[in-house]
Amino acid sequence: MYEVWLAMNIVWEIALGIWPVLLGAALLWVAVVATAWTRPGTRWRAGLPAALGVGVAVTAAAVVLVPGWTRSTLSELAYWVDWANLLAVSAGFGAAAVAFAWPLLAMRRAAAPR
């Protein structure tokens, strides 16, 4: 349990170091959602499957790319907590991708009938 608590503290400390970026992303997300919410013809349900696909793709890419960003490799992940952290960070990237992709994809207009 100590390892999980330590990992949570590390993530918190990283977030404190990049809080302006996180704040900017949050404000951008609020603007995108507000735009989608007020735009007529936004189809939330229609945009969700594609947004989830984007999230899965981003999560899979993050599993491969995150170790390199941290100057590590997949072969160095020997402990279950290492794998749990990698999957959690990757899922976070995927969730952020879904959060941004869903309103954008929901705003797409339906294809013109033939």
Side-chain angles (χ1 to χ4, degrees), residues 4-104:
V4 175
W5 180 252
L6 178 62
M8 289 172 40
N9 281 312
I10 290 170
V11 170
W12 176 254
E13 291 297 326
I14 290 170
L16 286 177
I18 61 169
W19 72 266
V21 174
L22 296 175
L23 179 63
L27 293 174
L28 179 63
W29 179 78
V30 167
V32 169
V33 170
T35 302
W37 191 265
T38 59
R39 184 174 177 175
T42 300
R43 300 177 317 137
W44 291 99
R45 188 172 299 208
L48 184 58
L52 291 174
V54 168
V56 168
V58 168
T59 300
V63 166
V64 176
L65 296 174
V66 165
W69 292 339
T70 60
R71 295 183 182 95
S72 183
T73 63
L74 287 174
S75 63
E76 292 177 0
L77 302 176
Y79 191 46
W80 73 269
V81 175
D82 298 334
W83 284 100
N85 285 331
L86 174 62
L87 294 176
V89 168
S90 299
F93 278 110
V98 169
F100 279 94
W102 189 13
L104 293 172

